Amino acid sequence: MKNFSTSSSRLLAAALFCGVTAVSAQAKPLVCEFKPNAPDSHTVVKGDTLWGIAGTFLDKPWCWPQVWGMNKEEIANPHWIYPGQVVWFDRAAGRLRLGTKVGGNGGGAGDMQLSPQLRMQGLGKDAVQSIPSGVIEPFLSQPLIIEEDELKNAPRIIATRGNRVYLGKDDKAYVRGDLKGGTSFQVFRPGKPLKDPITKAVVAQEAFYLGTLKLEAPAEAGSDVHTFVVQSAKEEMGKGDMLMAMPPMPMQNYVPHPPETEINAHVLAIYGGVTHAGQNQVVSINRGKLDGLDVGSVLQLYHRGETVVDPGGQKAWHGLNKPQVKLPDERVGSLFIFRVFKKVSYGLIMQVTEPIVVGDVAKTAE
């Protein structure tokens, strides 16, 4: 079994991959270990994910960039592994390499055509994804967090055709406000404020997604009331609900990697209003872009250690209370960050041994 620090992987990357830039010097040093029973190779098949492939070889799947020598651009746009290719474990160099079988019995370097450097093979739809995308697709283009000042001048529904209380698909809505040239909008309702579980300060406000509207007729001269038609309705919408311009669909394929800065966050909320979260469920945390998080960052999840009284400890100065001691945080899983706002991020729970609750810790892997 090989151990690899970030610095050693940089040296290997420089020697083995011409032109490949090392991971940022600000990244937390991370020891990456191959599994004792890691196979010699893995043939990529349809349905594989980067997380799953990395987990075949590594104890920590997010170590993929370190043992491959990827630069930041490749981490953000990893459309270079396709079904039929072979990921080969070069045990002598302690690296993972990409190749294709050229004959022989398989499993050895002599049976592979190895890539001299990472190859970008286009943005084909068959490229291996980072994680199963179906779970997070609804979260990628819908408003989840209302940032500062976004509500200040947001267009809003002021009336409905026929004075209906709620709108459904193909119903008409009258909207007042500056559309800023937009024609397609998402409808949302401000949700509950998200409070930091430690400081109790409000760090953001959730947006409750309702559906989409399409502009039918812009406001006439002398008016600022526009006519819209409901394109889709996830939930009932009506007077007072607000509009946000439809954002472009963000890139969905990012390599799991450790964040570049030290992160110590807490779970703010569990999506869906439930009290406990398990694997493949979505949670929000109280750290975002301003803290150095980006899409694809992986954090480890911990239950916060309880504070207990030490019955055998020395009493306080006044001889009254027994000393209190905080128990260590207990690691229970990993979190893949897939959407990042200024102060808040959303993550998908990838692995978990115990249910996650609000207040649990999410921090840089050790």
Side-chain angles (χ1 to χ4, degrees), residues 143-361:
L144 297 175
I145 293 294
I146 301 171
E147 305 273 23
E148 298 95 333
D149 300 329
E150 278 189 324
L151 290 178
K152 186 176 293 184
N153 299 308
R156 66 188 186 280
I157 299 174
I158 62 168
T160 61
R161 173 67 65 85
N163 203 29
R164 294 188 177 185
V165 177
Y166 294 112
L167 295 167
K169 182 174 170 54
D170 297 328
D171 287 339
K172 289 190 177 182
Y174 299 100
V175 173
R176 188 180 186 193
D178 184 3
L179 304 183
K180 298 180 179 179
T183 59
S184 295
F185 289 82
Q186 296 173 324
V187 184
F188 72 97
R189 187 175 300 146
K192 64 180 181 181
L194 295 176
K195 293 184 178 181
D196 189 300
I198 304 302
T199 66
K200 307 303 179 184
V202 175
V203 294
Q205 187 174 29
E206 281 192 315
F208 188 49
Y209 175 74
L210 304 175
T212 58
L213 291 180
K214 181 77 173 178
L215 180 65
E216 183 179 75
E220 297 179 355
S223 172
D224 63 351
V225 178
H226 315 273
T227 303
F228 279 80
V229 174
V230 177
Q231 292 288 103
S232 64
K234 180 183 177 184
E235 304 287 347
E236 294 176 330
M237 63 184 80
K239 295 179 184 178
D241 290 332
M242 312 185 85
L243 276 63
M244 293 178 68
M246 194 84 76
M249 192 69 170
M251 186 181 297
Q252 300 180 31
N253 210 12
Y254 290 81
V255 173
H257 60 275
E260 292 188 353
T261 58
E262 188 75 21
I263 301 295
N264 193 347
H266 292 86
V267 174
L268 284 173
I270 299 169
Y271 192 82
V274 296
T275 57
H276 295 77
Q279 187 164 330
N280 288 336
Q281 285 187 270
V282 172
V283 300
S284 57
I285 62 172
N286 62 338
R287 296 290 184 268
K289 293 178 184 177
L290 297 180
D291 304 289
L293 277 177
D294 62 343
V295 174
S297 293
V298 177
L299 303 174
Q300 289 183 330
L301 291 166
Y302 295 79
H303 284 329
R304 275 195 298 170
E306 298 181 26
T307 300
V308 299
V309 174
D310 179 3
Q314 294 182 351
K315 294 184 178 180
W317 181 62
H318 291 95
L320 297 175
N321 298 325
K322 295 283 187 180
Q324 292 186 329
V325 179
K326 183 184 179 299
L327 301 180
D329 295 338
E330 181 183 355
R331 190 172 69 184
V332 292
S334 55
L335 187 70
F336 181 93
I337 301 299
F338 65 85
R339 192 158 182 198
V340 181
F341 298 87
K342 290 180 181 178
K343 298 179 181 179
V344 174
S345 299
Y346 279 77
L348 180 70
I349 298 173
M350 298 300 297
Q351 294 144 340
V352 68
T353 57
E354 293 183 20
I356 300 300
V357 298
V358 171
D360 279 347
V361 175

